[in-house]
Amino acid sequence: MSRRILWVGSAALPLHNITRVEAFMIKADRGAAFVRFLRWLLVAALIYAAIIYASDGEIEGNPVLLVVGIALFLFLLKELFQSPTPVLVVETAGGSTVVVTLPTVNELLDIAGRIAHAIDNPEAEFTAVVQQYNHTNNFGPVVHMNGGRNNRGINL
């Protein structure tokens, strides 16, 4: 039985199924951030208009829409000026994608090289600890990446 497995958290990726390993800096999608801002502003305006309509215009002096608009604008600014995040993307032949991060892209380039080396060299073994990355740009729990011969990863 082959133990040439890359462990990412509780996910086991057979090394022979890995089709792409790439480390790069991911940048915020400014266009998508602006569209989200407009969409949420429209939703807030529609809710506010519905409240005014339901109350026969009794709350017209209420600055709720202005406060919500300012809050949405601040979230937009946060997204627009967010610094790029270094990520390591591992794709498999089955279409699965794993994205992890570390403080620098150089550390991720090193891990990408070690994964590629383990794919080409069955005797190679390595272990690295990285952070999981998700689409909301928050860092989740620690993820362990293991690869190489006779490496069983997590024992349950």
Side-chain angles (χ1 to χ4, degrees):
M1 178 169 96
S2 172
R3 294 195 173 152
R4 295 178 35 77
I5 302 291
L6 173 67
W7 284 96
V8 182
S10 61
L13 307 172
L15 288 177
H16 67 274
N17 280 349
I18 294 176
T19 58
R20 181 173 80 107
V21 178
E22 183 178 7
F24 59 92
M25 299 294 284
I26 191 168
K27 297 175 184 168
D29 185 349
R30 290 184 169 94
F34 188 69
V35 168
R36 270 191 307 277
F37 166 75
L38 292 177
R39 188 178 320 139
W40 281 109
L41 189 60
L42 177 63
V43 168
L46 290 174
I47 291 172
Y48 188 70
I51 292 170
I52 289 176
Y53 179 76
S55 65
D56 293 325
E58 293 178 18
I59 60 168
E60 287 184 28
N62 194 330
V64 173
L65 185 61
L66 179 63
V67 171
V68 170
I70 291 171
L72 288 173
F73 184 71
L74 292 176
F75 281 114
L76 172 67
L77 289 178
K78 179 184 172 264
E79 278 194 62
L80 291 179
F81 295 107
Q82 183 176 13
S83 61
T85 303
V87 295
L88 173 68
V89 176
V90 179
E91 291 182 1
T92 68
S96 298
T97 301
V98 176
V99 180
V100 293
T101 189
L102 280 174
T104 68
V105 76
N106 289 336
E107 293 172 282
L108 295 171
L109 286 169
D110 178 55
I111 292 171
R114 291 203 246 165
I115 292 171
H117 183 263
I119 290 170
D120 287 341
N121 299 289
E123 71 284 349
E125 291 188 26
F126 74 94
T127 299
V129 178
V130 298
Q131 298 292 322
Q132 187 172 10
Y133 179 78
N134 65 33
H135 70 281
T136 58
N137 298 330
N138 296 321
F139 301 125
V142 171
V143 174
H144 297 278
M145 296 180 64
N146 299 316
R149 187 170 164 194
N150 296 326
N151 191 334
R152 294 179 290 143
I154 300 169
N155 292 323
L156 299 177

